Amino acid sequence: MKMSLVTRSLSNIYLIALFLSLIPLLHIKALALDTTISSLRLSNTINVAGNETDFHALLAFKSNIFPDQQALSSWNESLHFCHWEGVHCDRRHKRVTVIDLRSEGLTGSLSPYIGNLSFLRELNLFNNTFIGEIPTELGNLFRLQKLNLSINNFEGNIPTSLSHCSNLKYLSIGKNKLVGEFPKELGYSMPRLISLILSKNNLTGGLPPSIGNLTSLVVFGATYNQLGGSIANTLGQLKILRELWLGFNQLSGTIPHSFYNLSLLVTLSLPHIQLWGSLPPSFGFMFPHLEVLQLYENQFNGPIPFSISNCSQLGKLELMQNNFSGKVRNDFGNLQNLYWISLAYNNFEAKGSDGLAFLSSLTNCSDLRVVEMENGQFGGVLPDSVGNLSVSYLSLGLNQLPNSQ
């Protein structure tokens, strides 16, 4: 009887000990189950599945867009924001790195909360209808490499805060309603900038000398503004520049001598401003890669440099509406890619039987389509070879040629 009680007591003690030993295991399993449930809940909660700051910044962006925009129909909590239309994230952090909503017909203003997307590398809103000012908060995006806001209705000044975006490589804000001067601060802080497009705005003032610090620049376009003063001499420091577009402004003076250091230029477009002076005789040797030369509607004088024939890649030569004079002695036959030549409205001479001999050299330009020579004070005799020109448009009127109309 006593042994039975002892046995039972020992059995009870063993069961109690066994139960106590299982408690930690049950606690661990409960924690694991709770973690699993929490993970499931989190995976279905968009704003914390990746990064809450990015999520709210994107919602703020959407809230500034007029409703019923089809392009943003996927911007809802049924999808993780990394899968929203036009949004791209990095794989590791699930942070927004790209917003690409070009040509989506979006109308509205750009939310300042866009500046909270601290991992953003590209913002492309090209060809939409955004209004209002460009938020200064864009200056918070220190990782930004590409910013394209062209073809919208942005107003106000170019934010000086963009100078904080020192990693920018492409800045395109053309065809908006921007006013004021180009911030000189941008010239000091964007050493990696490759392309700068400011065209078709209402920018005033001059080109700040600090632009010469953008030594990585390959493309610079600022046409159709109200930029005044002389062309900054420091542009000659942009040694790898290939395209320069400054036409249709209020710039004046001569072509800076430093320009002749830009030997890699493919496009030199300076039309419809107030430039004057003559082109140096060695002009063609200074720009051996030139494909487009647009100097029309200025006040240039003197002869066409004979060395232009050295620009063997030249396709478009527009010198119309200037004060160029003298005989055209150029041999254009070396310009195998020439498709457009305009010498109209100048003060050229072409007396005697060889005065228009240069036209014969154009027969070697098999791609030639347009020849504009009207009102150029040309005289003399047309060579028979003119009939061999395979062009779509030939204008010789209002000269001193026989039967010229």
Side-chain angles (χ1 to χ4, degrees), residues 238-260:
L238 309 180
K239 298 296 181 63
I240 64 173
L241 194 67
R242 296 181 65 82
E243 297 184 29
L244 178 61
W245 309 80
L246 294 179
F248 295 88
N249 278 288
Q250 298 175 19
L251 298 166
S252 61
T254 60
I255 294 178
H257 183 73
S258 65
F259 266 38
Y260 301 117

Side-chain angles (χ1 to χ4, degrees), residues 385-403:
S385 58
V386 170
N388 297 326
L389 293 174
S390 57
V391 297
S392 303
Y393 181 80
L394 173 62
S395 175
L396 299 171
L398 299 176
N399 281 290
Q400 300 176 29
L401 304 172
N403 299 319

Side-chain angles (χ1 to χ4, degrees), residues 160-305:
T160 58
S161 62
L162 288 178
S163 62
H164 301 147
C165 302
S166 58
N167 288 305
L168 262 181
K169 295 181 179 179
Y170 303 91
L171 175 57
S172 181
I173 50 179
K175 201 173 183 182
N176 281 286
K177 298 178 180 179
L178 299 173
V179 298
E181 298 184 3
F182 179 79
K184 62 181 184 298
E185 292 85 355
L186 272 59
Y188 294 116
S189 59
M190 296 183 178
R192 298 176 177 83
L193 198 63
I194 295 173
S195 178
L196 175 60
I197 304 299
L198 309 172
S199 301
K200 296 186 177 180
N201 281 289
N202 296 307
L203 300 178
T204 55
L207 294 172
S210 62
I211 284 184
N213 295 320
L214 303 176
T215 53
S216 295
L217 210 58
V218 175
V219 178
F220 179 35
T223 57
Y224 292 95
N225 279 287
Q226 300 178 42
L227 298 172
S230 58
I231 298 177
N233 188 61
T234 54
L235 284 177
Q237 298 171 193
L238 309 180
K239 298 296 181 63
I240 64 173
L241 194 67
R242 296 181 65 82
E243 297 184 29
L244 178 61
W245 309 80
L246 294 179
F248 295 88
N249 278 288
Q250 298 175 19
L251 298 166
S252 61
T254 60
I255 294 178
H257 183 73
S258 65
F259 266 38
Y260 301 117
N261 296 324
L262 305 178
S263 59
L264 297 181
L265 274 181
V266 172
T267 298
L268 177 58
S269 181
L270 305 172
H272 196 81
I273 40 184
Q274 300 178 47
L275 297 180
W276 51 274
S278 59
L279 303 181
S282 57
F283 185 91
F285 296 113
M286 297 170 177
F287 303 112
H289 305 287
L290 208 58
E291 296 178 8
V292 175
L293 177 59
Q294 295 177 313
L295 301 178
Y296 62 88
E297 298 181 21
N298 279 287
Q299 301 172 33
F300 289 108
N301 55 42
I304 300 176

Side-chain angles (χ1 to χ4, degrees), residues 293 304-319 327-343 348 355-368 371 373 378 389:
L293 177 59
I304 300 176
F306 187 78
S307 62
I308 279 185
S309 301
N310 186 68
C311 301
S312 58
Q313 303 301 314
L314 198 61
K316 197 168 191 177
L317 175 61
E318 294 186 282
L319 304 178
K327 284 189 176 182
V328 180
R329 302 182 183 277
N330 302 72
D331 182 355
F332 296 108
N334 189 44
L335 308 182
Q336 296 295 307
N337 297 318
L338 192 67
Y339 64 90
W340 190 304
I341 180 170
S342 178
L343 308 178
F348 293 116
L356 293 171
F358 71 91
L359 289 175
S360 296
S361 67
L362 290 174
T363 59
N364 293 327
C365 305
S366 57
D367 293 332
L368 194 61
V371 177
M373 293 176 52
F378 288 109
L389 293 174

Side-chain angles (χ1 to χ4, degrees), residues 49-250:
N51 181 277
E52 186 175 359
T53 301
D54 286 9
F55 174 72
H56 287 298
L58 291 174
L59 287 185
F61 175 93
K62 182 181 179 181
S63 69
N64 279 29
I65 305 299
F66 288 176
D68 302 323
Q69 300 288 308
Q70 183 61 33
L72 303 185
S73 60
S74 64
W75 288 40
N76 58 69
E77 296 192 17
S78 65
L79 287 173
H80 189 284
F81 61 78
C82 287
H83 299 292
W84 289 355
E85 179 71 24
V87 177
H88 303 275
C89 299
D90 68 322
R91 293 182 178 180
R92 181 179 178 183
H93 302 288
K94 298 297 182 183
R95 301 294 302 272
V96 177
T97 57
V98 175
I99 296 179
D100 187 353
L101 293 168
R102 71 187 95 173
S103 302
E104 292 288 359
L106 300 178
T107 300
S109 60
L110 183 55
S111 169
Y113 287 98
I114 198 78
N116 291 341
L117 298 173
S118 57
F119 274 65
L120 197 65
R121 288 176 171 80
E122 178 179 349
L123 177 60
N124 192 341
L125 302 178
F126 171 82
N127 191 28
N128 284 287
T129 318
F130 280 89
I131 59 175
E133 297 187 354
I134 298 174
T136 59
E137 288 77 5
L138 285 178
N140 298 335
L141 305 177
F142 65 93
R143 289 186 173 92
L144 197 64
Q145 297 179 12
K146 297 181 180 180
L147 177 61
N148 192 344
L149 304 179
S150 288
I151 312 184
N152 280 284
N153 289 320
F154 285 109
E155 302 172 340
N157 297 316
I158 300 173
T160 58
S161 62
L162 288 178
S163 62
H164 301 147
C165 302
S166 58
N167 288 305
L168 262 181
K169 295 181 179 179
Y170 303 91
L171 175 57
S172 181
I173 50 179
K175 201 173 183 182
N176 281 286
K177 298 178 180 179
L178 299 173
V179 298
E181 298 184 3
F182 179 79
K184 62 181 184 298
E185 292 85 355
L186 272 59
Y188 294 116
S189 59
M190 296 183 178
R192 298 176 177 83
L193 198 63
I194 295 173
S195 178
L196 175 60
I197 304 299
L198 309 172
S199 301
K200 296 186 177 180
N201 281 289
N202 296 307
L203 300 178
T204 55
L207 294 172
S210 62
I211 284 184
N213 295 320
L214 303 176
T215 53
S216 295
L217 210 58
V218 175
V219 178
F220 179 35
T223 57
Y224 292 95
N225 279 287
Q226 300 178 42
L227 298 172
S230 58
I231 298 177
N233 188 61
T234 54
L235 284 177
Q237 298 171 193
L238 309 180
K239 298 296 181 63
I240 64 173
L241 194 67
R242 296 181 65 82
E243 297 184 29
L244 178 61
W245 309 80
L246 294 179
F248 295 88
N249 278 288
Q250 298 175 19

